[in-house]
């Protein structure tokens, strides 16, 4: 059945073989779909058949391809967001299963957890994007959080969205830095040497990766849109009130200024928990619930999305 490509019937038979058989054939089917350039379909197979214990390499590859697939800013949510939402649920079930398993490599667990958080924040950002009002600051924080995943997500997309979100809430200094990086990445997309040509001085002592996922086709913005962005950056560069620096806060342990979204301090090496709503550091108890419990309750269905957003707005 598998050799003939009759995967629907094959998986029906595999279910009668028990969990091991199902995992084997789900792995074969999803690997075949990856080879055909259909990672979204592979996610749906994982989502439909729920085989959370095995196939870690395939899970990771599927997740990276779904999250890293570039698209234009005019792409409708319905063309990409359903796959991200299914991926989020698939990765959550997988993470929930393996995080206490003694035989799972810790590096595999960390990678799955990072992919899960990336899908999680991407889904939240898509939901609040453009809502304005009380959601504008949340959008800015989520867009800034997604920059942390520029080695997974299309780098031109995350830096552009972060720049625009900062601009919308008046954080022009940081908006300038992010948008300038977006333009650098657009230039790198046209060069064979890719991201190695980009200066990282503005991002020293942050947890923003220097290893970008630079798309090799289909830029996030069209050429006329990129030119409009260049004009805005040029205009802003002549404004003496604007300083091209990232926003900072004081480290909650040693009090030195650190990048506002850093999850650790580069001086005292303190590490901070990650807010499940914004992705920003939670250095001390805030709100009503610990971030881990908010994350778990959102994904197990005991906290609705409205409650989740209300919780964030009250912080």
């Amino acid at each position: 059945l598998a050799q003939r490509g009759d995967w629907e019937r094959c998986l029906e038979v595999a279910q009668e073989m028990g969990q091991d058989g199902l995992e084997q054939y789900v792995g074969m089917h999803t690997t075949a779909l990856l080879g055909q350039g259909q990672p979204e379909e592979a996610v749906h197979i994982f989502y439909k058949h729920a085989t959370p214990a095995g196939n870690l390499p395939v899970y990771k590859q599927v997740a990276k391809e779904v999250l890293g697939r570039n698209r234009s800013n005019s792409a409708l949510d319905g063309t990409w967001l359903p796959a991200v939402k299914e991926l989020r649920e698939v990765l959550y079930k997988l993470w929930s299963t393996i995080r206490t398993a003694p035989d799972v490599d810790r590096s595999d667990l960390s990678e799955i957890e990072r992919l899960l958080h990336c899908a999680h924040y991407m889904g939240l950002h898509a939901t609040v994007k453009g809502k304005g009002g009380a959601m504008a600051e949340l959008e800015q924080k989520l867009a800034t959080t997604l920059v942390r995943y520029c080695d997974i997500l299309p780098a031109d997309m995350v830096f552009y969205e972060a720049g625009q979100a900062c601009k919308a809430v008046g954080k022009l200094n940081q908006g300038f830095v992010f948008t300038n990086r977006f333009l650098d990445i657009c230039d790198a997309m046209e060069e064979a040497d890719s991201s190695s040509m980009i200066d990282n001085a503005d991002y020293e002592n942050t947890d923003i990766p220097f290893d970008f996922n630079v798309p090799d086709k289909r830029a996030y913005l069209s050429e006329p849109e990129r030119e409009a962005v260049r004009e805005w950056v040029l205009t802003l560069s002549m404004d003496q009130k604007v300083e091209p620096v990232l926003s900072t806060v004081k480290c909650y342990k040693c009090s030195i200024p650190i990048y506002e979204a850093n999850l650790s301090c580069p001086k005292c090496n303190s590490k901070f928990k990650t807010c499940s709503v914004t992705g920003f550091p939670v250095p001390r108890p805030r709100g009503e619930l610990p971030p881990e419990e908010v994350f778990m309750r959102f994904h197990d269905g005991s906290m609705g999305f409205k409650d989740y957003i209300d919780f964030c707005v009250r912080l």
Side-chain angles (χ1 to χ4, degrees):
L1 293 173
Q3 291 178 345
R4 295 201 304 265
D6 188 358
W7 289 107
E8 183 174 352
R9 177 59 182 152
C10 180
L11 292 175
E12 288 177 0
V13 173
Q15 286 179 315
E16 299 173 2
M17 298 167 59
Q19 186 67 20
D20 290 343
L22 182 60
E23 286 185 7
Q24 177 185 351
Y25 285 99
V26 165
M28 291 172 62
H29 190 192
T30 50
T31 299
L33 287 169
L34 280 174
Q36 297 164 11
Q38 301 181 64
E40 293 84 1
E41 287 298 319
V43 168
H44 186 66
I45 295 301
F46 278 134
Y47 181 79
K48 181 178 179 181
H49 292 282
T51 59
N55 302 316
L56 283 184
V58 182
Y59 270 110
K60 290 190 286 188
Q61 187 62 30
V62 167
K64 290 173 183 177
E65 293 202 18
V66 168
L67 295 170
R69 177 161 290 190
N70 54 324
R71 62 179 188 277
S72 72
N73 68 325
S74 60
L76 298 176
D77 285 356
T79 63
W80 62 270
L81 188 55
V84 171
K85 289 183 175 180
E86 286 192 347
L87 176 65
R88 181 185 64 195
E89 298 308 311
V90 165
L91 291 175
Y92 178 74
K93 290 176 182 177
L94 175 63
W95 173 75
S96 298
T97 299
I98 69 174
R99 69 192 186 99
T100 56
D103 58 339
V104 172
D105 188 281
R106 294 298 96 181
S107 63
D108 283 334
L109 178 61
S110 295
E111 189 172 1
I112 292 296
E113 186 172 41
R114 188 162 184 261
L115 290 166
L116 168 60
H117 285 167
C118 181
H120 170 76
Y121 293 123
M122 195 175 182
L124 284 179
H125 176 258
T127 302
V128 302
K129 181 181 175 182
K131 295 294 191 296
M135 295 297 165
E137 183 178 352
L138 175 55
E139 180 184 345
Q140 182 266 317
K141 288 184 175 181
L142 284 165
T144 300
T145 289
L146 289 176
V147 171
R148 192 183 299 139
Y149 302 97
C150 64
D151 56 332
I152 298 173
L153 299 169
D156 61 334
M157 177 188 76
V158 294
F159 281 102
Y160 173 76
E161 290 292 348
Q164 292 298 296
C166 288
K167 176 183 175 183
V169 297
K171 302 180 78 165
L172 294 181
N173 292 344
Q174 184 158 280
F176 178 90
V177 175
F178 285 151
T179 306
N180 205 43
R181 171 54 55 93
F182 160 74
L183 294 174
D184 288 342
I185 292 168
C186 290
D187 292 339
M189 290 171 68
E190 301 174 2
E191 300 290 337
D193 197 26
S194 191
S195 62
S196 62
M197 62 183 288
I198 298 177
D199 181 11
N200 293 308
D202 290 335
Y203 296 88
E204 294 289 346
N205 296 319
T206 73
D207 54 11
I208 297 172
F210 293 166
D211 183 18
F212 307 131
N213 173 13
V214 179
D216 57 3
K217 58 183 178 179
R218 193 189 302 168
Y220 190 59
L221 297 187
S222 66
E223 182 57 34
E225 289 172 322
R226 293 198 298 273
E227 285 306 309
V229 172
R230 289 183 195 277
E231 288 295 325
W232 181 77
V233 168
L234 180 60
T235 300
L236 208 62
S237 68
M238 295 185 288
D239 187 340
Q240 296 183 354
K241 296 179 181 179
V242 175
E243 184 179 2
V245 293
L246 295 173
S247 300
T248 61
V249 295
K250 287 185 178 181
C251 171
Y252 304 95
K253 294 292 178 68
C254 70
S255 297
I256 71 160
I258 61 174
Y259 168 54
E260 67 171 354
N262 260 13
L263 298 180
S264 63
C265 174
K267 182 180 179 181
C268 69
N269 296 319
S270 295
K271 297 187 182 303
F272 313 118
K273 293 183 178 180
T274 310
C275 177
S276 297
V277 181
T278 66
F280 269 44
V282 182
R284 54 182 178 268
R286 295 177 62 192
E288 301 169 351
L289 296 170
E292 300 93 334
E293 188 172 345
V294 176
F295 188 80
M296 297 282 286
R297 286 180 57 181
F298 174 69
H299 286 281
D300 68 17
S302 61
M303 175 180 278
F305 187 77
K306 180 179 182 301
D307 295 331
Y308 200 65
I309 295 299
D310 287 347
F311 170 81
C312 172
V313 172
R314 286 198 297 269
L315 289 181

